Amino acid sequence: MKFIVLLFTVLLQKQTKQQGYSRNNQWFVRLLKPFDLTEMSLKGQVAVYGVVVVLPGVLLAFFIASLNGVMGSLLSIVIQVLLFLYILGRDDFSSRVTNYKSCWKREDYQGAYHCASEFLSLKEQANSQSPLQLHQTVQEAMVNAWFKRFFAFAFWYLVAGIGGVLICLLTIWFYAQSKANWVKSLLHALSWAPVRLLAVTIALAGDFVQSFSTASRFIWDFESSNQVVLHETMFRYDEQTEESFDCENAPQELEATNQLMQRSAVIWLCVVAALTVFAGF
C-alpha cells in the first residue's frame, strides 16, 4: 500500500505544482501561540512538543491502522495521499530557476544574480560573489530543495508511515518557532539516515566511480551536515575555475543536476515497488 500512496502522491504533485507555493502552517503557529517557547524551560518545551507534535502523529497512525476492509483501505489510501501531498508541498523549484537559466543563456550575470536572490537565503547570496560561485550555490540549493521537499519525507513515510511523516513536518515547524538546540539536534538525527541513503543513490544514478567512495565515507559519519554530505558527493570532483567557467554551459549543468535528482527519485520508487512485490512491504 505504501508504494501506491507514494506513487499517487508523486503523480498528483507533478500535476499540481505551483511556482512559489507555500504550505499554510498558520494553524500550527496559532496552536503554539499560547506558549512562549523561547522563554520556556527544557521540560516545558519537551511537554509542548509531545502534545502538539508527537501526539497528533501517533493518533493519525492509530486511526489509519484502524481502517479495515475494502472501504477502509480505500479511505486510508485517499487520506494518506491527501496528507502526504500537503506535507510534500507543491512548490516547483525547477520552474523557479527558469528565468535564472535564461539569464545565463544571455550571459547576463547581474540578471542571474537578481533571479537567484528570489530563492536563495541572504547568507547564500553573500557567499555568491562571482558567476561561478553563484552557479555552484544555485546547484547546491537545488539539491537541498529535492532532499528537504521529497527524499527526507519519503524515507520517513516508508519507515514510520504517514504519522511519522507528520511528526517530521511538525518538528521542522516547531524548531522554526522555538529555535531550541535540542530540536535542532533532533532534526539532525531525523535527517541522518535519509541524507546518506540519498548520497549513495546519487552515486548510483550519477558518476559511480568518483562519487561512491565519497558517499560511502559518510555512512558512519555522525557529525557532517546534510549540505556537506550531499555537496561533497555531487560536486567534489567539479574542477571548474573562474577562468574555465562558461556561462553558456550553466543552464545545461543545472538541468543535468535536476535530472540526476529525478533519476534518484525513480530509483527510490523502483526499490519500494520491489519491496512491495517481493516482501509485501
Side-chain angles (χ1 to χ4, degrees):
M1 180 179 292
K2 287 184 177 180
F3 172 70
I4 295 175
V5 172
L6 187 58
L7 180 62
F8 281 1
T9 304
V10 169
L11 292 176
L12 280 174
Q13 186 191 39
K14 184 176 181 180
Q15 296 299 320
T16 60
K17 280 185 175 181
Q18 301 176 20
Q19 182 175 338
Y21 174 86
S22 178
R23 286 169 301 205
N24 182 8
N25 65 341
Q26 292 304 308
W27 63 270
F28 187 75
V29 174
R30 288 195 295 268
L31 190 64
L32 291 178
K33 194 172 183 179
F35 309 101
D36 188 359
L37 294 175
T38 57
E39 300 296 330
M40 194 173 289
S41 66
L42 175 60
K43 290 183 179 180
Q45 290 178 344
V46 172
V48 174
Y49 176 83
V51 172
V52 303
V53 176
V54 178
L55 184 60
V58 172
L59 292 177
L60 176 62
F62 274 110
F63 174 71
I64 295 296
S66 67
L67 298 175
N68 300 313
V70 176
M71 294 304 298
S73 297
L74 291 175
L75 180 60
S76 172
I77 291 175
V78 172
I79 293 174
Q80 290 186 75
V81 168
L82 293 177
L83 280 174
F84 203 16
L85 184 62
Y86 170 74
I87 290 170
L88 290 181
R90 289 178 290 160
D91 184 22
D92 187 1
F93 189 84
S94 300
S95 67
R96 293 173 70 181
V97 299
T98 300
N99 293 335
Y100 172 81
K101 290 190 291 186
S102 298
C103 291
W104 278 124
K105 290 180 180 179
R106 300 192 304 269
E107 299 186 16
D108 180 7
Y109 169 64
Q110 292 299 328
Y113 187 91
H114 174 72
C115 291
S117 66
E118 297 178 1
F119 51 81
L120 294 179
S121 66
L122 293 176
K123 181 179 179 180
E124 290 172 328
Q125 294 175 47
N127 293 332
S128 305
Q129 299 299 321
S130 70
L132 177 59
Q133 290 174 335
L134 177 64
H135 175 63
Q136 291 174 334
T137 301
V138 172
Q139 279 187 302
E140 294 169 358
M142 179 177 288
V143 176
N144 290 337
W146 268 97
F147 174 72
K148 293 178 180 178
R149 301 175 188 184
F150 176 73
F151 289 101
F153 291 127
F155 174 87
W156 283 109
Y157 175 69
L158 299 175
V159 172
I162 194 66
V165 182
L166 181 62
I167 290 175
C168 288
L169 176 65
L170 297 184
T171 300
I172 295 172
W173 288 351
F174 188 88
Y175 175 70
Q177 299 299 314
S178 67
K179 300 298 182 182
N181 289 329
W182 69 271
V183 184
K184 184 178 181 180
S185 299
L186 179 58
L187 287 175
H188 179 75
L190 289 174
S191 64
W192 183 88
V195 76
R196 282 153 181 79
L197 183 59
L198 176 57
V200 173
T201 308
I202 289 172
L204 293 173
D207 190 339
F208 181 82
V209 175
Q210 289 190 333
S211 300
F212 184 74
S213 59
T214 303
S216 61
R217 178 167 56 86
F218 286 112
I219 290 179
W220 301 114
D221 181 353
F222 293 91
E223 300 297 330
S224 298
S225 65
N226 300 340
Q227 290 79 8
V228 170
V229 174
L230 294 177
H231 301 170
E232 285 282 315
T233 301
M234 287 199 66
F235 307 116
R236 181 182 180 184
Y237 296 96
D238 186 353
E239 298 179 351
Q240 292 189 94
T241 63
E242 298 292 347
E243 293 75 19
S244 64
F245 176 63
D246 187 353
C247 294
E248 293 183 356
N249 294 329
Q252 289 80 9
E253 292 179 3
L254 281 175
E255 185 59 31
T257 299
N258 192 50
Q259 290 179 357
L260 176 58
M261 302 310 295
Q262 290 176 347
R263 292 197 301 271
S264 299
V266 171
I267 289 176
W268 280 36
L269 288 174
C270 290
V271 170
V272 176
L275 290 173
T276 302
V277 173
F278 297 108
F281 187 69

